[in-house]
Amino acid sequence: MTTAARAGAEEDVQRRIPDVPSLVAALDRNNYLADVGLATALFLAVRLPQPILLEGEAGVGKTEAAKALAELLDTPLYRLQCYEGIDAGEALYEWNHPRQLLGIRLAEAGGAAVTETDLFAPQYLLRRPLLQALEHPGPRPAVLLLDEIDRADAEFEAFTFELLAEAAVTIPELGTIRATHPPIVVLTSNRTRDLHDALTRRCLYHWIDYPGPDRIAEIVRRRVPASSGPLALQAAAAITRVRTLDLAKPPGISEAIDWVSALAVLGVQSIDPGTAEQTWGTIVKNRDDLELVGSRGAAWLVEGTDGQG
Ligand SMILES: Nc1ncnc2c1ncn2[C@@H]1O[C@H](COP(=O)(O)OP(=O)(O)OP(=O)(O)O)[C@@H](O)[C@H]1O
Ligand SMILES: [Mg+2]
């Protein structure tokens, strides 16, 4: 039964994503623009299947890639946002102590005896993303996003991996829960530290490069339909220029989207140095960076010239 269900799901996924170009097109329909390199990596992650580790600078679309994948497969996305000190209780499951206490009180009030088995029953289990992804009933596998795994401790990383390799978890009071449809796993990292060998060994890897101005403009057009095409390209070119400065927080795709959204709200059709100066709080978010951009000048930002002719 389990094997049949899994084979059916595989066929279904295969029909939805028969090859890399179909995946590029399906991502595109979900407003996610991927180049062939990224699409191939995602394709393999789904079809092998094997977890994929996506690395790249802030805002290059790591998190969004997992969301788009879940959308195009029409399957749930379970997201675990990692942070320092995250533990199994946050990731996998916890017992709902307040509800258990309430259960005891209610039973006592009704004069009934409560056994341990009553209290450690599935209705008192708080399911966290890893367990939800394992328990997902199908018809297709869920996408499990372990976002910013580099923020978690190395032990936690190892823990998630053993669990995912087994596609099963044992809850002492309930027994072993085995996934019918092992999830498609996407991990992201901003490289704040090196990841465990045990983890990288088990993953496919893809580094997402920062895109050029044309692609940034295309992404902006998708995300801010109210903006005019030339405005998006102008903003993308300016952002690309700003990124050549030695900024503490170089603006990314999100900032390009925010900037163009702001300009659209302001009714701006074309960026001139004056409007750039008024609005660069949407792209530069640090006092020192602001000074650096200011000293380079708005004319340079907008036109690539120093404004002196
Ligand atoms: N290839 C892309 N196609 C469409 N939108 C994109 C693409 N890349 C980035 N975006 C948009 O840029 C924004 C930032 O993307 P996302 O949050 O996925 O970045 P990230 O790499 O996860 O960044 P961080 O490291 O800060 O978490 C989102 O609004 C997303 O929609
Ligand atoms: Mg992210």
Side-chain angles (χ1 to χ4, degrees):
M1 162 63 198
T2 302
T3 329
R6 204 180 279 189
E10 261 170 39
E11 245 168 58
D12 185 351
V13 168
Q14 209 162 322
R15 204 162 3 88
R16 281 165 195 258
I17 317 179
D19 48 32
V20 175
S22 329
L23 179 56
V24 173
L27 288 166
D28 189 289
R29 284 195 295 277
N30 283 281
N31 287 323
Y32 187 84
L33 305 182
D35 58 21
V36 175
L38 173 59
T40 305
L42 292 173
F43 178 76
L44 291 175
V46 173
R47 292 285 298 275
L48 280 172
Q50 197 175 339
I52 182 162
L53 170 61
L54 297 177
E55 284 195 330
E57 281 179 51
V60 289
K62 302 181 292 295
T63 302
E64 200 68 25
K67 289 190 195 165
L69 199 56
E71 265 167 41
L72 74 89
L73 285 172
D74 191 17
T75 201
L77 173 84
Y78 296 106
R79 177 178 182 176
L80 183 68
Q81 173 62 55
C82 300
Y83 55 88
E84 207 185 324
I86 189 171
D87 60 16
E90 275 307 308
L92 192 55
Y93 73 88
E94 242 174 349
W95 289 106
N96 189 340
H97 295 307
R99 265 198 79 183
Q100 285 172 321
L101 280 177
L102 195 66
I104 296 175
R105 294 233 178 86
L106 285 175
E108 278 173 358
V114 198
T115 67
E116 211 170 303
T117 328
D118 296 333
L119 286 180
F120 291 97
Q123 72 263 32
Y124 294 115
L125 200 60
L126 287 173
R127 291 167 168 80
R128 306 296 192 200
L130 286 178
L131 184 58
Q132 289 176 320
L134 288 182
E135 282 192 333
H136 172 64
R140 287 167 294 285
V143 174
L144 174 64
L145 169 62
L146 302 178
D147 215 6
E148 307 187 357
I149 187 79
D150 51 328
R151 291 178 188 238
D153 313 314
E155 298 73 45
F156 180 76
E157 228 182 277
F159 156 78
T160 56
F161 254 70
E162 280 170 28
L163 174 81
L164 294 171
E166 304 286 317
V169 53
T170 299
I171 299 175
E173 299 84 356
L174 294 180
T176 298
I177 297 174
R178 204 166 291 283
T180 314
H181 301 291
I184 297 164
V185 184
V186 179
L187 302 102
T188 79
S189 159
N190 283 35
R191 288 191 64 85
T192 57
R193 66 173 175 82
D194 279 336
L195 297 172
H196 215 286
D197 282 348
L199 179 122
T200 48
R201 227 180 30 231
R202 290 180 171 106
C203 289
L204 297 164
Y205 177 82
H206 187 77
W207 173 265
I208 305 184
D209 264 329
Y210 197 82
D214 289 340
R215 182 159 285 252
I216 298 179
E218 185 56 35
I219 294 173
V220 170
R221 282 187 206 110
R222 296 299 185 91
R223 302 280 159 175
V224 196
S227 69
S228 80
L231 186 68
L233 191 57
Q234 225 189 347
I239 295 260
T240 305
R241 231 168 266 134
V242 171
R243 288 177 57 86
T244 63
L245 300 174
D246 189 20
L247 301 184
K249 291 245 181 313
I253 299 172
S254 306
E255 284 74 16
I257 295 171
D258 292 347
W259 194 20
V260 173
S261 305
L263 293 167
V265 168
L266 292 171
V268 172
Q269 298 291 327
S270 164
I271 309 170
D272 58 40
T275 37
E277 249 173 77
Q278 274 166 23
T279 54
W280 62 31
T282 55
I283 55 171
V284 183
K285 298 179 181 174
N286 168 307
R287 174 132 193 250
D288 294 339
D289 287 354
L290 213 48
E291 267 175 25
L292 195 58
V293 175
S295 67
R296 204 60 188 74
W300 169 79
L301 177 83
V302 175
E303 291 146 10
T305 63
D306 286 325
Q308 274 117 30

